[in-house]
Amino acid sequence: MILEISHSDAIDLLGRDQDDPKIKNLLNRLGVSFSDIKISDKDILNRSMEFKKLSLSINFEDIGQLKKIPLHDIGDAPYILEDLTFWGNEEGFSGRIDFPVTGLTFNSNFEEVVTKLGQPTKRFEDSTRPVAWLREGYKLVIQWTEDPRKIRNITYWLTDLEEKSKAFR
């Protein structure tokens, strides 16, 4: 099975809580319910899960980590989808997912990506060379492998819950 999530679908899912019908639909397509997604960091109480056969990982944060809420204890919910990572050329992942940006593949080089997405907002200097494009309400981060023609992963990150709510709802 190949999971298809488009660029616009990925953006639309960010910032939605675990009870949102679109999140429930995604989890159903992944074959899990929210209760299957366990706490992965006891300090911040986020919930994440990798789906290696589908080459996807998801991460939910408690809403209290994303915005100030009076009298809210972290872990009380709701949990908000904060990031979605599509894995291409990474050991242990199947690579059986379509690249979410039309016209690009996990074998696209840097120049091809810049032609499609425009100049990046930020380039990091570590060994995986992640490159970020900051957009309204989200950030797109792409990491290449040591081979500059192979994309390791692409992650959609929620950057501002309030801004996302205005921009995409």
Side-chain angles (χ1 to χ4, degrees):
M1 172 180 140
I2 295 179
L3 184 67
E4 292 183 21
I5 300 174
S6 70
H7 177 70
S8 59
D9 290 342
I11 295 164
D12 187 49
L13 288 166
L14 292 174
R16 294 184 181 273
D17 72 50
Q18 83 267 7
D19 292 326
D20 186 282
K22 290 185 178 189
I23 294 295
K24 286 184 173 186
N25 182 9
L26 171 66
L27 296 177
N28 185 50
R29 290 170 54 204
L30 293 170
V32 299
S33 67
F34 185 75
S35 62
D36 297 323
I37 303 173
K38 304 301 179 203
I39 292 174
S40 55
D41 186 324
K42 291 186 179 9
D43 291 331
I44 60 172
L45 299 177
N46 69 316
R47 293 175 175 263
S48 61
M49 187 173 238
E50 291 181 337
F51 301 89
K52 291 194 174 202
K53 287 183 179 177
L54 298 174
S55 292
L56 183 75
S57 59
I58 57 177
N59 182 57
F60 289 85
E61 293 283 342
D62 182 284
I63 195 167
Q65 296 281 40
L66 301 172
K67 70 179 191 175
K68 280 191 177 245
I69 300 177
L71 305 173
H72 178 83
D73 290 329
I74 302 301
D76 283 352
Y79 281 86
I80 306 298
L81 183 64
E82 183 186 38
D83 62 83
L84 204 65
T85 300
F86 298 80
W87 293 89
N89 295 291
E90 177 68 2
E91 189 174 327
F93 287 87
S94 71
R96 293 176 48 96
I97 193 162
D98 289 336
F99 197 85
V101 179
T102 303
L104 296 175
T105 71
F106 284 104
N107 293 319
S108 295
N109 64 35
F110 180 76
E111 290 75 25
E112 292 168 325
V113 172
V114 169
T115 298
K116 185 72 176 177
L117 298 177
Q119 285 298 315
T121 309
K122 185 169 185 176
R123 292 182 77 165
F124 301 87
E125 296 302 324
D126 73 2
S127 62
T128 58
R129 297 176 306 285
V131 180
W133 286 262
L134 187 59
R135 303 291 194 241
E136 188 175 3
Y138 75 98
K139 146 175 91 171
L140 187 67
V141 178
I142 298 178
Q143 291 184 326
W144 277 263
T145 65
E146 294 301 318
D147 180 341
R149 295 171 310 237
K150 293 186 184 283
I151 293 175
R152 177 176 178 247
N153 63 34
I154 177 172
T155 302
Y156 289 81
W157 290 89
L158 178 66
T159 55
D160 185 319
L161 186 59
E162 297 299 321
E163 197 58 39
K164 174 87 166 55
S165 295
K166 289 183 224 164
F168 298 105
R169 300 282 191 272

mmCIF file of all heavy atoms in Angstrom, residues 99-133:
data_model
loop_
_atom_site.group_PDB
_atom_site.id
_atom_site.type_symbol
_atom_site.label_atom_id
_atom_site.label_comp_id
_atom_site.label_asym_id
_atom_site.label_seq_id
_atom_site.Cartn_x
_atom_site.Cartn_y
_atom_site.Cartn_z
ATOM 1 N N PHE A 99 6.189 11.665 -2.935
ATOM 2 C CA PHE A 99 6.676 12.964 -2.486
ATOM 3 C C PHE A 99 5.493 13.916 -2.532
ATOM 4 O O PHE A 99 4.775 13.985 -3.540
ATOM 5 C CB PHE A 99 7.798 13.441 -3.410
ATOM 6 C CG PHE A 99 8.632 14.533 -2.822
ATOM 7 C CD1 PHE A 99 9.691 14.225 -1.984
ATOM 8 C CD2 PHE A 99 8.370 15.855 -3.104
ATOM 9 C CE1 PHE A 99 10.482 15.236 -1.439
ATOM 10 C CE2 PHE A 99 9.147 16.867 -2.576
ATOM 11 C CZ PHE A 99 10.208 16.554 -1.736
ATOM 12 N N PRO A 100 5.233 14.659 -1.452
ATOM 13 C CA PRO A 100 3.999 15.447 -1.394
ATOM 14 C C PRO A 100 3.947 16.669 -2.302
ATOM 15 O O PRO A 100 2.872 17.183 -2.556
ATOM 16 C CB PRO A 100 3.924 15.866 0.077
ATOM 17 C CG PRO A 100 5.307 15.749 0.590
ATOM 18 C CD PRO A 100 5.983 14.693 -0.211
ATOM 19 N N VAL A 101 5.076 17.141 -2.811
ATOM 20 C CA VAL A 101 5.077 18.324 -3.676
ATOM 21 C C VAL A 101 5.084 17.853 -5.132
ATOM 22 O O VAL A 101 6.018 17.190 -5.572
ATOM 23 C CB VAL A 101 6.291 19.234 -3.401
ATOM 24 C CG1 VAL A 101 6.281 20.438 -4.327
ATOM 25 C CG2 VAL A 101 6.323 19.663 -1.940
ATOM 26 N N THR A 102 4.040 18.193 -5.863
ATOM 27 C CA THR A 102 3.914 17.791 -7.267
ATOM 28 C C THR A 102 5.126 18.286 -8.056
ATOM 29 O O THR A 102 5.543 19.432 -7.912
ATOM 30 C CB THR A 102 2.619 18.365 -7.872
ATOM 31 O OG1 THR A 102 1.517 17.921 -7.078
ATOM 32 C CG2 THR A 102 2.429 17.915 -9.302
ATOM 33 N N GLY A 103 5.670 17.397 -8.871
ATOM 34 C CA GLY A 103 6.800 17.765 -9.712
ATOM 35 C C GLY A 103 8.152 17.461 -9.090
ATOM 36 O O GLY A 103 9.179 17.642 -9.737
ATOM 37 N N LEU A 104 8.174 17.013 -7.830
ATOM 38 C CA LEU A 104 9.424 16.638 -7.168
ATOM 39 C C LEU A 104 9.344 15.183 -6.720
ATOM 40 O O LEU A 104 8.251 14.644 -6.544
ATOM 41 C CB LEU A 104 9.690 17.531 -5.953
ATOM 42 C CG LEU A 104 9.903 19.021 -6.237
ATOM 43 C CD1 LEU A 104 10.036 19.795 -4.933
ATOM 44 C CD2 LEU A 104 11.123 19.236 -7.116
ATOM 45 N N THR A 105 10.510 14.561 -6.570
ATOM 46 C CA THR A 105 10.584 13.192 -6.062
ATOM 47 C C THR A 105 11.656 13.144 -4.980
ATOM 48 O O THR A 105 12.373 14.119 -4.751
ATOM 49 C CB THR A 105 10.967 12.185 -7.167
ATOM 50 O OG1 THR A 105 12.346 12.395 -7.521
ATOM 51 C CG2 THR A 105 10.080 12.333 -8.406
ATOM 52 N N PHE A 106 11.786 12.011 -4.326
ATOM 53 C CA PHE A 106 12.839 11.848 -3.327
ATOM 54 C C PHE A 106 14.216 11.757 -3.971
ATOM 55 O O PHE A 106 15.218 11.680 -3.284
ATOM 56 C CB PHE A 106 12.565 10.630 -2.434
ATOM 57 C CG PHE A 106 11.496 10.894 -1.409
ATOM 58 C CD1 PHE A 106 10.220 10.391 -1.561
ATOM 59 C CD2 PHE A 106 11.767 11.683 -0.296
ATOM 60 C CE1 PHE A 106 9.234 10.652 -0.622
ATOM 61 C CE2 PHE A 106 10.784 11.962 0.642
ATOM 62 C CZ PHE A 106 9.516 11.436 0.480
ATOM 63 N N ASN A 107 14.280 11.790 -5.296
ATOM 64 C CA ASN A 107 15.556 11.821 -6.012
ATOM 65 C C ASN A 107 15.801 13.183 -6.655
ATOM 66 O O ASN A 107 16.648 13.316 -7.533
ATOM 67 C CB ASN A 107 15.615 10.704 -7.050
ATOM 68 C CG ASN A 107 15.649 9.349 -6.379
ATOM 69 O OD1 ASN A 107 16.331 9.154 -5.376
ATOM 70 N ND2 ASN A 107 14.886 8.415 -6.906
ATOM 71 N N SER A 108 15.070 14.203 -6.202
ATOM 72 C CA SER A 108 15.275 15.558 -6.718
ATOM 73 C C SER A 108 16.491 16.188 -6.037
ATOM 74 O O SER A 108 16.681 16.029 -4.838
ATOM 75 C CB SER A 108 14.048 16.430 -6.431
ATOM 76 O OG SER A 108 12.920 15.959 -7.124
ATOM 77 N N ASN A 109 17.283 16.891 -6.830
ATOM 78 C CA ASN A 109 18.446 17.555 -6.234
ATOM 79 C C ASN A 109 18.044 18.946 -5.736
ATOM 80 O O ASN A 109 16.917 19.411 -5.951
ATOM 81 C CB ASN A 109 19.620 17.617 -7.229
ATOM 82 C CG ASN A 109 19.315 18.456 -8.447
ATOM 83 O OD1 ASN A 109 18.612 19.460 -8.384
ATOM 84 N ND2 ASN A 109 19.849 18.044 -9.590
ATOM 85 N N PHE A 110 18.976 19.604 -5.087
ATOM 86 C CA PHE A 110 18.714 20.907 -4.476
ATOM 87 C C PHE A 110 18.208 21.922 -5.498
ATOM 88 O O PHE A 110 17.243 22.642 -5.246
ATOM 89 C CB PHE A 110 19.981 21.415 -3.771
ATOM 90 C CG PHE A 110 19.799 22.746 -3.109
ATOM 91 C CD1 PHE A 110 19.100 22.853 -1.910
ATOM 92 C CD2 PHE A 110 20.297 23.901 -3.689
ATOM 93 C CE1 PHE A 110 18.908 24.086 -1.302
ATOM 94 C CE2 PHE A 110 20.113 25.136 -3.083
ATOM 95 C CZ PHE A 110 19.413 25.227 -1.886
ATOM 96 N N GLU A 111 18.845 21.992 -6.651
ATOM 97 C CA GLU A 111 18.465 22.970 -7.663
ATOM 98 C C GLU A 111 17.036 22.744 -8.140
ATOM 99 O O GLU A 111 16.284 23.700 -8.365
ATOM 100 C CB GLU A 111 19.452 22.935 -8.846
ATOM 101 C CG GLU A 111 20.831 23.478 -8.530
ATOM 102 C CD GLU A 111 21.694 22.512 -7.688
ATOM 103 O OE1 GLU A 111 21.452 21.283 -7.733
ATOM 104 O OE2 GLU A 111 22.582 23.004 -6.978
ATOM 105 N N GLU A 112 16.642 21.482 -8.315
ATOM 106 C CA GLU A 112 15.272 21.181 -8.738
ATOM 107 C C GLU A 112 14.256 21.627 -7.680
ATOM 108 O O GLU A 112 13.197 22.162 -8.011
ATOM 109 C CB GLU A 112 15.112 19.678 -9.000
ATOM 110 C CG GLU A 112 15.894 19.192 -10.198
ATOM 111 C CD GLU A 112 15.971 17.683 -10.285
ATOM 112 O OE1 GLU A 112 16.046 16.997 -9.228
ATOM 113 O OE2 GLU A 112 15.976 17.177 -11.421
ATOM 114 N N VAL A 113 14.596 21.423 -6.413
ATOM 115 C CA VAL A 113 13.701 21.813 -5.328
ATOM 116 C C VAL A 113 13.576 23.339 -5.270
ATOM 117 O O VAL A 113 12.475 23.873 -5.139
ATOM 118 C CB VAL A 113 14.181 21.230 -3.979
ATOM 119 C CG1 VAL A 113 13.363 21.786 -2.826
ATOM 120 C CG2 VAL A 113 14.094 19.704 -3.998
ATOM 121 N N VAL A 114 14.687 24.049 -5.402
ATOM 122 C CA VAL A 114 14.659 25.518 -5.371
ATOM 123 C C VAL A 114 13.867 26.059 -6.558
ATOM 124 O O VAL A 114 13.110 27.019 -6.415
ATOM 125 C CB VAL A 114 16.090 26.104 -5.325
ATOM 126 C CG1 VAL A 114 16.094 27.603 -5.570
ATOM 127 C CG2 VAL A 114 16.732 25.788 -3.981
ATOM 128 N N THR A 115 13.997 25.437 -7.711
ATOM 129 C CA THR A 115 13.213 25.860 -8.879
ATOM 130 C C THR A 115 11.724 25.745 -8.588
ATOM 131 O O THR A 115 10.939 26.621 -8.958
ATOM 132 C CB THR A 115 13.590 25.010 -10.115
ATOM 133 O OG1 THR A 115 14.969 25.239 -10.415
ATOM 134 C CG2 THR A 115 12.744 25.371 -11.319
ATOM 135 N N LYS A 116 11.333 24.698 -7.891
ATOM 136 C CA LYS A 116 9.912 24.472 -7.586
ATOM 137 C C LYS A 116 9.416 25.320 -6.408
ATOM 138 O O LYS A 116 8.328 25.881 -6.466
ATOM 139 C CB LYS A 116 9.699 22.977 -7.287
ATOM 140 C CG LYS A 116 8.281 22.579 -7.062
ATOM 141 C CD LYS A 116 7.497 22.607 -8.350
ATOM 142 C CE LYS A 116 6.086 22.109 -8.113
ATOM 143 N NZ LYS A 116 5.272 22.188 -9.284
ATOM 144 N N LEU A 117 10.217 25.416 -5.330
ATOM 145 C CA LEU A 117 9.767 26.063 -4.095
ATOM 146 C C LEU A 117 10.279 27.489 -3.906
ATOM 147 O O LEU A 117 9.827 28.185 -3.004
ATOM 148 C CB LEU A 117 10.199 25.230 -2.876
ATOM 149 C CG LEU A 117 9.629 23.820 -2.784
ATOM 150 C CD1 LEU A 117 10.198 23.107 -1.570
ATOM 151 C CD2 LEU A 117 8.113 23.846 -2.733
ATOM 152 N N GLY A 118 11.230 27.905 -4.710
ATOM 153 C CA GLY A 118 11.841 29.223 -4.521
ATOM 154 C C GLY A 118 13.036 29.127 -3.583
ATOM 155 O O GLY A 118 13.358 28.063 -3.055
ATOM 156 N N GLN A 119 13.701 30.244 -3.375
ATOM 157 C CA GLN A 119 14.874 30.263 -2.503
ATOM 158 C C GLN A 119 14.467 29.899 -1.069
ATOM 159 O O GLN A 119 13.443 30.370 -0.582
ATOM 160 C CB GLN A 119 15.540 31.639 -2.516
ATOM 161 C CG GLN A 119 16.318 31.925 -3.778
ATOM 162 C CD GLN A 119 17.457 30.948 -3.985
ATOM 163 O OE1 GLN A 119 18.209 30.627 -3.072
ATOM 164 N NE2 GLN A 119 17.572 30.456 -5.211
ATOM 165 N N PRO A 120 15.272 29.089 -0.399
ATOM 166 C CA PRO A 120 14.937 28.714 0.978
ATOM 167 C C PRO A 120 15.069 29.897 1.937
ATOM 168 O O PRO A 120 15.814 30.831 1.685
ATOM 169 C CB PRO A 120 15.961 27.627 1.306
ATOM 170 C CG PRO A 120 17.090 27.850 0.371
ATOM 171 C CD PRO A 120 16.510 28.471 -0.861
ATOM 172 N N THR A 121 14.334 29.805 3.030
ATOM 173 C CA THR A 121 14.394 30.811 4.078
ATOM 174 C C THR A 121 15.641 30.629 4.925
ATOM 175 O O THR A 121 16.234 31.590 5.389
ATOM 176 C CB THR A 121 13.150 30.694 4.988
ATOM 177 O OG1 THR A 121 11.993 30.684 4.158
ATOM 178 C CG2 THR A 121 13.065 31.830 5.970
ATOM 179 N N LYS A 122 16.038 29.365 5.120
ATOM 180 C CA LYS A 122 17.185 29.075 5.973
ATOM 181 C C LYS A 122 17.884 27.810 5.497
ATOM 182 O O LYS A 122 17.241 26.848 5.107
ATOM 183 C CB LYS A 122 16.720 28.896 7.421
ATOM 184 C CG LYS A 122 17.849 28.706 8.394
ATOM 185 C CD LYS A 122 17.377 28.810 9.818
ATOM 186 C CE LYS A 122 18.583 28.737 10.729
ATOM 187 N NZ LYS A 122 18.268 28.918 12.107
ATOM 188 N N ARG A 123 19.224 27.861 5.568
ATOM 189 C CA ARG A 123 20.043 26.673 5.296
ATOM 190 C C ARG A 123 20.836 26.383 6.550
ATOM 191 O O ARG A 123 21.490 27.253 7.095
ATOM 192 C CB ARG A 123 20.990 26.909 4.126
ATOM 193 C CG ARG A 123 20.253 27.054 2.822
ATOM 194 C CD ARG A 123 21.200 27.240 1.682
ATOM 195 N NE ARG A 123 21.785 25.953 1.350
ATOM 196 C CZ ARG A 123 22.428 25.706 0.228
ATOM 197 N NH1 ARG A 123 22.600 26.650 -0.649
ATOM 198 N NH2 ARG A 123 22.937 24.520 -0.006
ATOM 199 N N PHE A 124 20.757 25.158 7.015
ATOM 200 C CA PHE A 124 21.486 24.743 8.209
ATOM 201 C C PHE A 124 22.824 24.167 7.777
ATOM 202 O O PHE A 124 22.977 23.679 6.667
ATOM 203 C CB PHE A 124 20.675 23.706 8.987
ATOM 204 C CG PHE A 124 19.321 24.219 9.411
ATOM 205 C CD1 PHE A 124 18.230 24.110 8.554
ATOM 206 C CD2 PHE A 124 19.141 24.829 10.633
ATOM 207 C CE1 PHE A 124 16.982 24.582 8.925
ATOM 208 C CE2 PHE A 124 17.897 25.308 11.015
ATOM 209 C CZ PHE A 124 16.822 25.182 10.162
ATOM 210 N N GLU A 125 23.790 24.172 8.664
ATOM 211 C CA GLU A 125 25.141 23.778 8.286
ATOM 212 C C GLU A 125 25.576 22.428 8.851
ATOM 213 O O GLU A 125 26.751 22.160 8.942
ATOM 214 C CB GLU A 125 26.137 24.857 8.732
ATOM 215 C CG GLU A 125 25.945 26.187 8.038
ATOM 216 C CD GLU A 125 26.046 26.118 6.523
ATOM 217 O OE1 GLU A 125 26.851 25.333 5.993
ATOM 218 O OE2 GLU A 125 25.280 26.839 5.860
ATOM 219 N N ASP A 126 24.654 21.565 9.254
ATOM 220 C CA ASP A 126 25.105 20.269 9.769
ATOM 221 C C ASP A 126 25.221 19.258 8.636
ATOM 222 O O ASP A 126 24.990 19.562 7.470
ATOM 223 C CB ASP A 126 24.212 19.771 10.913
ATOM 224 C CG ASP A 126 22.852 19.286 10.460
ATOM 225 O OD1 ASP A 126 22.583 19.290 9.238
ATOM 226 O OD2 ASP A 126 22.071 18.893 11.319
ATOM 227 N N SER A 127 25.563 18.033 8.981
ATOM 228 C CA SER A 127 25.904 17.040 7.972
ATOM 229 C C SER A 127 24.720 16.625 7.095
ATOM 230 O O SER A 127 24.913 16.169 5.984
ATOM 231 C CB SER A 127 26.495 15.792 8.653
ATOM 232 O OG SER A 127 25.523 15.223 9.498
ATOM 233 N N THR A 128 23.494 16.764 7.588
ATOM 234 C CA THR A 128 22.358 16.354 6.769
ATOM 235 C C THR A 128 21.831 17.487 5.900
ATOM 236 O O THR A 128 20.894 17.298 5.151
ATOM 237 C CB THR A 128 21.209 15.814 7.648
ATOM 238 O OG1 THR A 128 20.827 16.833 8.566
ATOM 239 C CG2 THR A 128 21.620 14.562 8.386
ATOM 240 N N ARG A 129 22.407 18.661 6.037
ATOM 241 C CA ARG A 129 22.083 19.808 5.204
ATOM 242 C C ARG A 129 20.582 20.089 5.094
ATOM 243 O O ARG A 129 20.049 20.206 3.991
ATOM 244 C CB ARG A 129 22.678 19.631 3.808
ATOM 245 C CG ARG A 129 24.172 19.559 3.795
ATOM 246 C CD ARG A 129 24.726 19.296 2.409
ATOM 247 N NE ARG A 129 24.206 18.149 1.705
ATOM 248 C CZ ARG A 129 24.522 16.880 1.979
ATOM 249 N NH1 ARG A 129 25.349 16.603 2.931
ATOM 250 N NH2 ARG A 129 24.014 15.899 1.277
ATOM 251 N N PRO A 130 19.870 20.209 6.230
ATOM 252 C CA PRO A 130 18.455 20.554 6.087
ATOM 253 C C PRO A 130 18.290 21.975 5.572
ATOM 254 O O PRO A 130 19.100 22.849 5.860
ATOM 255 C CB PRO A 130 17.904 20.405 7.496
ATOM 256 C CG PRO A 130 19.070 20.453 8.404
ATOM 257 C CD PRO A 130 20.270 20.057 7.616
ATOM 258 N N VAL A 131 17.268 22.155 4.798
ATOM 259 C CA VAL A 131 16.953 23.444 4.205
ATOM 260 C C VAL A 131 15.488 23.727 4.528
ATOM 261 O O VAL A 131 14.648 22.841 4.428
ATOM 262 C CB VAL A 131 17.187 23.417 2.679
ATOM 263 C CG1 VAL A 131 16.856 24.753 2.059
ATOM 264 C CG2 VAL A 131 18.616 23.007 2.367
ATOM 265 N N ALA A 132 15.167 24.966 4.926
ATOM 266 C CA ALA A 132 13.815 25.294 5.362
ATOM 267 C C ALA A 132 13.195 26.386 4.503
ATOM 268 O O ALA A 132 13.875 27.330 4.092
ATOM 269 C CB ALA A 132 13.830 25.728 6.825
ATOM 270 N N TRP A 133 11.914 26.236 4.262
ATOM 271 C CA TRP A 133 11.101 27.247 3.611
ATOM 272 C C TRP A 133 10.011 27.624 4.601
ATOM 273 O O TRP A 133 9.165 26.799 4.955
ATOM 274 C CB TRP A 133 10.462 26.705 2.332
ATOM 275 C CG TRP A 133 11.426 26.559 1.202
ATOM 276 C CD1 TRP A 133 11.623 27.447 0.184
ATOM 277 C CD2 TRP A 133 12.321 25.468 0.956
ATOM 278 N NE1 TRP A 133 12.586 26.981 -0.670
ATOM 279 C CE2 TRP A 133 13.035 25.755 -0.221
ATOM 280 C CE3 TRP A 133 12.603 24.278 1.621
ATOM 281 C CZ2 TRP A 133 13.994 24.911 -0.753
ATOM 282 C CZ3 TRP A 133 13.556 23.429 1.106
ATOM 283 C CH2 TRP A 133 14.239 23.746 -0.067
#
